[in-house]
Structures are given as structure tokens and as C-alpha cells.
Amino acid sequence: MNNEYMPFVSEILDVKKHTDIEYTFRMSYTNETEVKPGQFFEVSIPKYGEAPISVSGIGKGYVELTIRRVGKVTNEIFEHYVGDKLFLRGPYGNGFDVNLYKDKEVVIIAGGTGVSPVRGVIEYFSNHREEIKNLTLIAGFKSPQHILFAEDFKKWEQNMDVIMTLDTNEGDSSYREGLVTNYIKDVTITDYSNVAAIVVGPPVMMRFSVSGLLNEGLKEEDIWISHERKMCCGIGKCGHCKIDDTYVCLDGPVFNYTKGSQLLD
């Protein structure tokens, strides 16, 4: 009998610093075809514990995990460098299926670290622009110092409509200022019967972003969200992510809004 809690060893292939507390770790992983954006891995260090981290990138022989330094486990992870090894288990959960968005007009709204779980979707359609009608990305960060994946944004701007907004642009007029919800009305949609939207970020931001999309004419069934903040053990045993009869780590964290809107805790 296999022990579902047993992790495997993964080598750190690269480390990318975004901010003082947010790094992307590229980890060796040979079954990358089994991973979807929006899924997560448990990252663990003996004696320190483990933390659920969303997949922010998928490539041949690796996965990327963007980690915020916020506690005991993540503090210790930040003491590891290229060539060091961490323990992983996963991938877990229900991710974003890019096939659901093909041949549609796609709108992605992400706030802060919420860009991480949708980065794989953005990257896929940036590289396969012919598979969708149109793609608009609205991303919000606190300030210029909090921007994640800055190099990616420069590339994405060549293949899609990108609206980056900051809570404060600190006088830099090259950035828009304000909440992501302020810019939903600026999205051009030509066919509301053939549109899909993804919203990921803090709960309040997701709630008002979805409301804004609905006000613009989208239907609930055309919107997907992620309850990634609820992730815990990954295999439905600890019960921390259970809402009514739904285990977020098993049935999510990605949900169509028709289901996700009912998961109130």
C-alpha cells in the first residue's frame, strides 16, 4: 500500500527573485505533462513542516513554484539555493483546463500572488494565440516594488491586451492606478455567448471582480475562480479545507463560479 503522505526529493534548478519576500523556485519534476496550472504541490522540509504552493510554471523536466516568505516553513525554504533539494508531494487538486477556453474571448483578472496560479494559462495562450479569439489580462499589484513576473508582462504585452494597475503608482505614469475592478469596463468583448473569464486573488477582490463581470453581461457559468487560500493537506484527510460537503483540495481549488460561489466559509 502506498503512503499518500510520502514526498519525493526535488532539486532546485533555478531561483528567481521578484520582491524581497516573493521568489520563484524552479523544481525538477519529470512528469510535467500531468500538471495543470492552478494545481498545487506540498513543499516540505523535515523538522519544519510543509506548505501548499500553487504551480506558477510548467516546463520540460520542471515545475515552478512562486513562494511568499510568510512563516516558519517558507522562511526556511528561502534559505535554500540552486542545487539544494526540497521535498514535494503532488500535484494535487483541480487546475485550469486550457481546453475549456479555446476558441473563446478570454478575460483573466488576477491580483498580487493570484497571478501565479494563472500564469500557466496566460503563458499557454501567449504561445498559442491562434487558439483563442482574444485575450485580455488585468493584473493588480500594490506598488511597482510588488510586481511579479515583470519580464513575462513585457512579453505578454506583445500577444494580448494587458492592463496592469497599481494601488499606488508612486508618481510613475507608465502604470495605471486604482483597483482592477475599475478597468473591467475597458475590456472589449464582441460576443458574450463565446467568452470565458478567470478571476484569482484575495477574496474581496474576486467578489467585486466577478460582480463587475456579471454587470458587463457575462454569465456565471462562463467564470472560473480559485479558492487557493483554502489548500491544506491535499488529499482530503485533515478537513481544514472542507466547506459543507466539498473538499477544496480535492474538488478545487479551481471551480466554475456556479459551484465556487456557493462555497462560503
Side-chain angles (χ1 to χ4, degrees):
M1 181 180 294
N2 293 328
N3 184 345
E4 293 180 303
Y5 277 107
M6 186 65 68
F8 56 89
V9 176
S10 177
E11 181 180 349
I12 300 174
L13 302 177
D14 188 38
V15 179
K16 172 70 174 179
K17 178 181 178 179
H18 302 292
T19 72
D20 290 340
I21 62 169
E22 290 154 324
Y23 290 11
T24 291
F25 289 76
R26 178 172 290 186
M27 308 300 303
S28 62
Y29 187 70
T30 57
N31 298 319
E32 69 277 357
T33 57
E34 300 176 356
V35 187
K36 291 180 180 179
Q39 290 186 302
F40 64 99
F41 282 84
E42 295 284 350
V43 183
S44 62
I45 301 176
K47 298 191 297 183
Y48 290 91
E50 65 179 8
I53 307 294
S54 293
V55 173
S56 61
I58 306 165
K60 186 172 178 56
Y62 70 85
V63 293
E64 292 181 332
L65 308 173
T66 299
I67 301 174
R68 172 179 282 181
R69 187 173 190 164
V70 292
K72 180 179 179 181
V73 179
T74 53
N75 284 345
E76 184 62 23
I77 291 173
F78 272 52
E79 298 302 317
H80 289 69
Y81 305 94
V82 174
D84 290 344
K85 294 177 173 61
L86 300 172
F87 289 95
L88 304 182
R89 57 183 180 89
Y92 294 123
N94 174 44
F96 293 103
D97 184 354
V98 296
N99 293 308
L100 295 174
Y101 314 121
K102 291 181 178 180
D103 298 318
K104 295 180 180 291
E105 298 183 58
V106 180
V107 180
I108 298 177
I109 305 175
T113 55
V115 176
S116 297
V118 297
R119 180 178 174 234
V121 179
I122 301 167
E123 188 73 6
Y124 178 85
F125 286 121
S126 178
N127 294 329
H128 300 84
R129 189 62 182 78
E130 73 284 356
E131 295 187 9
I132 53 174
K133 302 295 185 183
N134 188 41
L135 176 57
T136 301
L137 169 62
I138 306 176
F141 299 99
K142 289 183 179 180
S143 71
Q145 291 73 39
H146 290 86
I147 294 173
L148 305 181
F149 312 112
E151 294 178 1
D152 289 336
F153 274 97
K154 293 178 182 178
K155 180 180 64 175
W156 294 338
E157 288 175 349
Q158 308 302 314
N159 298 319
M160 66 192 74
D161 295 325
V162 175
I163 299 174
M164 183 188 291
T165 177
L166 307 177
D167 292 352
T168 172
N169 62 13
E170 299 181 355
D172 187 343
S173 59
S174 63
Y175 297 107
R176 304 194 194 197
E177 193 170 62
L179 303 176
V180 293
T181 50
N182 296 342
Y183 297 93
I184 293 176
K185 64 182 183 300
D186 295 337
V187 177
T188 300
I189 298 174
T190 59
D191 183 2
Y192 281 89
S193 67
N194 190 40
V195 63
I198 296 172
V199 181
V200 185
V204 172
M205 169 249 156
M206 288 200 299
R207 182 167 70 251
F208 284 100
S209 294
V210 169
S211 178
L213 291 169
L214 295 174
N215 288 338
E216 289 298 313
L218 272 73
K219 300 176 182 178
E220 290 190 356
E221 57 265 32
D222 295 327
I223 302 172
W224 282 260
I225 61 174
S226 175
H227 282 294
E228 63 167 351
R229 71 184 184 87
K230 292 290 292 181
M231 301 179 305
C232 203
C233 77
I235 57 177
K237 299 299 183 183
C238 73
H240 283 80
C241 74
K242 190 173 185 289
I243 304 176
D244 296 328
D245 61 349
T246 299
Y247 287 87
V248 174
C249 69
L250 297 178
D251 303 316
V254 175
F255 294 93
N256 183 269
Y257 188 69
T258 55
K259 172 68 175 179
S261 63
Q262 306 303 313
L263 302 179
L264 303 177
D265 64 317

PDB file of all heavy atoms in Angstrom, residues 40-61:
ATOM      1  N   PHE A  40      -1.548  22.409  -7.143  1.00  0.00           N
ATOM      2  CA  PHE A  40      -0.549  22.798  -6.154  1.00  0.00           C
ATOM      3  C   PHE A  40       0.258  21.590  -5.687  1.00  0.00           C
ATOM      4  O   PHE A  40      -0.162  20.436  -5.830  1.00  0.00           O
ATOM      5  CB  PHE A  40      -1.201  23.490  -4.953  1.00  0.00           C
ATOM      6  CG  PHE A  40      -2.140  22.616  -4.152  1.00  0.00           C
ATOM      7  CD1 PHE A  40      -1.717  21.999  -2.978  1.00  0.00           C
ATOM      8  CD2 PHE A  40      -3.454  22.421  -4.548  1.00  0.00           C
ATOM      9  CE1 PHE A  40      -2.574  21.207  -2.230  1.00  0.00           C
ATOM     10  CE2 PHE A  40      -4.331  21.626  -3.808  1.00  0.00           C
ATOM     11  CZ  PHE A  40      -3.884  21.018  -2.640  1.00  0.00           C
ATOM     12  N   PHE A  41       1.427  21.885  -5.175  1.00  0.00           N
ATOM     13  CA  PHE A  41       2.297  20.894  -4.551  1.00  0.00           C
ATOM     14  C   PHE A  41       2.444  21.230  -3.066  1.00  0.00           C
ATOM     15  O   PHE A  41       2.373  22.396  -2.673  1.00  0.00           O
ATOM     16  CB  PHE A  41       3.691  20.897  -5.189  1.00  0.00           C
ATOM     17  CG  PHE A  41       3.778  20.193  -6.513  1.00  0.00           C
ATOM     18  CD1 PHE A  41       3.436  20.857  -7.684  1.00  0.00           C
ATOM     19  CD2 PHE A  41       4.213  18.876  -6.601  1.00  0.00           C
ATOM     20  CE1 PHE A  41       3.523  20.230  -8.918  1.00  0.00           C
ATOM     21  CE2 PHE A  41       4.309  18.234  -7.835  1.00  0.00           C
ATOM     22  CZ  PHE A  41       3.965  18.909  -8.993  1.00  0.00           C
ATOM     23  N   GLU A  42       2.666  20.213  -2.269  1.00  0.00           N
ATOM     24  CA  GLU A  42       3.077  20.415  -0.891  1.00  0.00           C
ATOM     25  C   GLU A  42       4.600  20.417  -0.870  1.00  0.00           C
ATOM     26  O   GLU A  42       5.241  19.484  -1.333  1.00  0.00           O
ATOM     27  CB  GLU A  42       2.546  19.296   0.006  1.00  0.00           C
ATOM     28  CG  GLU A  42       1.040  19.246   0.127  1.00  0.00           C
ATOM     29  CD  GLU A  42       0.470  20.321   1.037  1.00  0.00           C
ATOM     30  OE1 GLU A  42       1.276  21.001   1.731  1.00  0.00           O
ATOM     31  OE2 GLU A  42      -0.760  20.489   1.068  1.00  0.00           O
ATOM     32  N   VAL A  43       5.173  21.490  -0.349  1.00  0.00           N
ATOM     33  CA  VAL A  43       6.626  21.618  -0.233  1.00  0.00           C
ATOM     34  C   VAL A  43       6.977  21.435   1.241  1.00  0.00           C
ATOM     35  O   VAL A  43       6.416  22.121   2.106  1.00  0.00           O
ATOM     36  CB  VAL A  43       7.108  22.992  -0.724  1.00  0.00           C
ATOM     37  CG1 VAL A  43       8.632  23.079  -0.660  1.00  0.00           C
ATOM     38  CG2 VAL A  43       6.612  23.264  -2.137  1.00  0.00           C
ATOM     39  N   SER A  44       7.899  20.526   1.522  1.00  0.00           N
ATOM     40  CA  SER A  44       8.201  20.242   2.925  1.00  0.00           C
ATOM     41  C   SER A  44       9.696  20.191   3.198  1.00  0.00           C
ATOM     42  O   SER A  44      10.511  19.927   2.310  1.00  0.00           O
ATOM     43  CB  SER A  44       7.565  18.913   3.348  1.00  0.00           C
ATOM     44  OG  SER A  44       8.089  17.833   2.606  1.00  0.00           O
ATOM     45  N   ILE A  45      10.032  20.478   4.449  1.00  0.00           N
ATOM     46  CA  ILE A  45      11.382  20.386   4.970  1.00  0.00           C
ATOM     47  C   ILE A  45      11.289  19.678   6.315  1.00  0.00           C
ATOM     48  O   ILE A  45      10.529  20.116   7.192  1.00  0.00           O
ATOM     49  CB  ILE A  45      12.024  21.774   5.141  1.00  0.00           C
ATOM     50  CG1 ILE A  45      12.074  22.520   3.799  1.00  0.00           C
ATOM     51  CG2 ILE A  45      13.429  21.648   5.720  1.00  0.00           C
ATOM     52  CD1 ILE A  45      12.602  23.939   3.923  1.00  0.00           C
ATOM     53  N   PRO A  46      12.014  18.589   6.491  1.00  0.00           N
ATOM     54  CA  PRO A  46      11.969  17.876   7.772  1.00  0.00           C
ATOM     55  C   PRO A  46      12.244  18.804   8.959  1.00  0.00           C
ATOM     56  O   PRO A  46      13.102  19.685   8.885  1.00  0.00           O
ATOM     57  CB  PRO A  46      13.076  16.819   7.618  1.00  0.00           C
ATOM     58  CG  PRO A  46      13.142  16.566   6.150  1.00  0.00           C
ATOM     59  CD  PRO A  46      12.881  17.913   5.508  1.00  0.00           C
ATOM     60  N   LYS A  47      11.469  18.624  10.007  1.00  0.00           N
ATOM     61  CA  LYS A  47      11.531  19.373  11.264  1.00  0.00           C
ATOM     62  C   LYS A  47      10.847  20.733  11.188  1.00  0.00           C
ATOM     63  O   LYS A  47      10.618  21.367  12.211  1.00  0.00           O
ATOM     64  CB  LYS A  47      12.980  19.560  11.756  1.00  0.00           C
ATOM     65  CG  LYS A  47      13.707  18.274  12.075  1.00  0.00           C
ATOM     66  CD  LYS A  47      15.018  18.550  12.809  1.00  0.00           C
ATOM     67  CE  LYS A  47      15.980  19.341  11.960  1.00  0.00           C
ATOM     68  NZ  LYS A  47      17.294  19.529  12.671  1.00  0.00           N
ATOM     69  N   TYR A  48      10.531  21.191   9.969  1.00  0.00           N
ATOM     70  CA  TYR A  48       9.895  22.499   9.822  1.00  0.00           C
ATOM     71  C   TYR A  48       8.429  22.405   9.395  1.00  0.00           C
ATOM     72  O   TYR A  48       7.639  23.298   9.678  1.00  0.00           O
ATOM     73  CB  TYR A  48      10.670  23.363   8.819  1.00  0.00           C
ATOM     74  CG  TYR A  48      12.009  23.807   9.344  1.00  0.00           C
ATOM     75  CD1 TYR A  48      13.149  23.047   9.109  1.00  0.00           C
ATOM     76  CD2 TYR A  48      12.142  24.975  10.090  1.00  0.00           C
ATOM     77  CE1 TYR A  48      14.389  23.433   9.597  1.00  0.00           C
ATOM     78  CE2 TYR A  48      13.375  25.382  10.583  1.00  0.00           C
ATOM     79  CZ  TYR A  48      14.507  24.602  10.337  1.00  0.00           C
ATOM     80  OH  TYR A  48      15.720  24.991  10.828  1.00  0.00           O
ATOM     81  N   GLY A  49       8.070  21.351   8.656  1.00  0.00           N
ATOM     82  CA  GLY A  49       6.695  21.192   8.208  1.00  0.00           C
ATOM     83  C   GLY A  49       6.563  21.319   6.703  1.00  0.00           C
ATOM     84  O   GLY A  49       7.548  21.209   5.968  1.00  0.00           O
ATOM     85  N   GLU A  50       5.348  21.566   6.243  1.00  0.00           N
ATOM     86  CA  GLU A  50       5.092  21.673   4.816  1.00  0.00           C
ATOM     87  C   GLU A  50       4.127  22.805   4.541  1.00  0.00           C
ATOM     88  O   GLU A  50       3.395  23.258   5.422  1.00  0.00           O
ATOM     89  CB  GLU A  50       4.556  20.354   4.253  1.00  0.00           C
ATOM     90  CG  GLU A  50       3.202  19.938   4.776  1.00  0.00           C
ATOM     91  CD  GLU A  50       2.709  18.631   4.168  1.00  0.00           C
ATOM     92  OE1 GLU A  50       3.472  17.983   3.454  1.00  0.00           O
ATOM     93  OE2 GLU A  50       1.549  18.274   4.430  1.00  0.00           O
ATOM     94  N   ALA A  51       4.117  23.265   3.278  1.00  0.00           N
ATOM     95  CA  ALA A  51       3.247  24.366   2.866  1.00  0.00           C
ATOM     96  C   ALA A  51       2.718  24.081   1.472  1.00  0.00           C
ATOM     97  O   ALA A  51       3.476  23.630   0.600  1.00  0.00           O
ATOM     98  CB  ALA A  51       4.009  25.686   2.881  1.00  0.00           C
ATOM     99  N   PRO A  52       1.416  24.333   1.222  1.00  0.00           N
ATOM    100  CA  PRO A  52       0.858  24.157  -0.116  1.00  0.00           C
ATOM    101  C   PRO A  52       1.189  25.352  -0.997  1.00  0.00           C
ATOM    102  O   PRO A  52       0.946  26.498  -0.615  1.00  0.00           O
ATOM    103  CB  PRO A  52      -0.650  24.051   0.140  1.00  0.00           C
ATOM    104  CG  PRO A  52      -0.856  24.854   1.394  1.00  0.00           C
ATOM    105  CD  PRO A  52       0.399  24.734   2.211  1.00  0.00           C
ATOM    106  N   ILE A  53       1.764  25.089  -2.177  1.00  0.00           N
ATOM    107  CA  ILE A  53       2.198  26.158  -3.070  1.00  0.00           C
ATOM    108  C   ILE A  53       1.639  25.910  -4.473  1.00  0.00           C
ATOM    109  O   ILE A  53       1.804  24.835  -5.038  1.00  0.00           O
ATOM    110  CB  ILE A  53       3.734  26.250  -3.150  1.00  0.00           C
ATOM    111  CG1 ILE A  53       4.349  26.365  -1.750  1.00  0.00           C
ATOM    112  CG2 ILE A  53       4.146  27.404  -4.043  1.00  0.00           C
ATOM    113  CD1 ILE A  53       4.017  27.631  -1.016  1.00  0.00           C
ATOM    114  N   SER A  54       0.998  26.917  -5.054  1.00  0.00           N
ATOM    115  CA  SER A  54       0.424  26.790  -6.396  1.00  0.00           C
ATOM    116  C   SER A  54       1.516  26.683  -7.450  1.00  0.00           C
ATOM    117  O   SER A  54       2.592  27.282  -7.324  1.00  0.00           O
ATOM    118  CB  SER A  54      -0.457  27.999  -6.723  1.00  0.00           C
ATOM    119  OG  SER A  54      -1.606  28.030  -5.922  1.00  0.00           O
ATOM    120  N   VAL A  55       1.202  25.961  -8.514  1.00  0.00           N
ATOM    121  CA  VAL A  55       2.096  25.861  -9.659  1.00  0.00           C
ATOM    122  C   VAL A  55       2.036  27.165 -10.444  1.00  0.00           C
ATOM    123  O   VAL A  55       0.968  27.610 -10.844  1.00  0.00           O
ATOM    124  CB  VAL A  55       1.681  24.683 -10.566  1.00  0.00           C
ATOM    125  CG1 VAL A  55       2.515  24.676 -11.850  1.00  0.00           C
ATOM    126  CG2 VAL A  55       1.829  23.364  -9.827  1.00  0.00           C
ATOM    127  N   SER A  56       3.191  27.782 -10.660  1.00  0.00           N
ATOM    128  CA  SER A  56       3.218  29.032 -11.431  1.00  0.00           C
ATOM    129  C   SER A  56       3.885  28.865 -12.784  1.00  0.00           C
ATOM    130  O   SER A  56       3.897  29.807 -13.591  1.00  0.00           O
ATOM    131  CB  SER A  56       3.950  30.131 -10.642  1.00  0.00           C
ATOM    132  OG  SER A  56       5.296  29.771 -10.385  1.00  0.00           O
ATOM    133  N   GLY A  57       4.436  27.684 -13.053  1.00  0.00           N
ATOM    134  CA  GLY A  57       5.061  27.439 -14.342  1.00  0.00           C
ATOM    135  C   GLY A  57       5.286  25.955 -14.563  1.00  0.00           C
ATOM    136  O   GLY A  57       5.509  25.204 -13.607  1.00  0.00           O
ATOM    137  N   ILE A  58       5.187  25.534 -15.820  1.00  0.00           N
ATOM    138  CA  ILE A  58       5.346  24.118 -16.176  1.00  0.00           C
ATOM    139  C   ILE A  58       6.239  24.047 -17.409  1.00  0.00           C
ATOM    140  O   ILE A  58       6.000  24.754 -18.396  1.00  0.00           O
ATOM    141  CB  ILE A  58       3.990  23.459 -16.493  1.00  0.00           C
ATOM    142  CG1 ILE A  58       3.004  23.653 -15.332  1.00  0.00           C
ATOM    143  CG2 ILE A  58       4.167  21.970 -16.803  1.00  0.00           C
ATOM    144  CD1 ILE A  58       1.558  23.353 -15.695  1.00  0.00           C
ATOM    145  N   GLY A  59       7.259  23.212 -17.353  1.00  0.00           N
ATOM    146  CA  GLY A  59       8.152  23.056 -18.495  1.00  0.00           C
ATOM    147  C   GLY A  59       8.748  21.666 -18.527  1.00  0.00           C
ATOM    148  O   GLY A  59       8.495  20.851 -17.631  1.00  0.00           O
ATOM    149  N   LYS A  60       9.510  21.375 -19.521  1.00  0.00           N
ATOM    150  CA  LYS A  60      10.101  20.055 -19.680  1.00  0.00           C
ATOM    151  C   LYS A  60      11.088  19.776 -18.540  1.00  0.00           C
ATOM    152  O   LYS A  60      12.120  20.435 -18.422  1.00  0.00           O
ATOM    153  CB  LYS A  60      10.805  19.927 -21.031  1.00  0.00           C
ATOM    154  CG  LYS A  60      11.319  18.525 -21.330  1.00  0.00           C
ATOM    155  CD  LYS A  60      11.836  18.419 -22.743  1.00  0.00           C
ATOM    156  CE  LYS A  60      12.386  17.021 -23.027  1.00  0.00           C
ATOM    157  NZ  LYS A  60      11.396  15.962 -22.773  1.00  0.00           N
ATOM    158  N   GLY A  61      10.736  18.833 -17.696  1.00  0.00           N
ATOM    159  CA  GLY A  61      11.609  18.434 -16.605  1.00  0.00           C
ATOM    160  C   GLY A  61      11.534  19.302 -15.364  1.00  0.00           C
ATOM    161  O   GLY A  61      12.353  19.145 -14.456  1.00  0.00           O
TER     162      GLY A  61
END
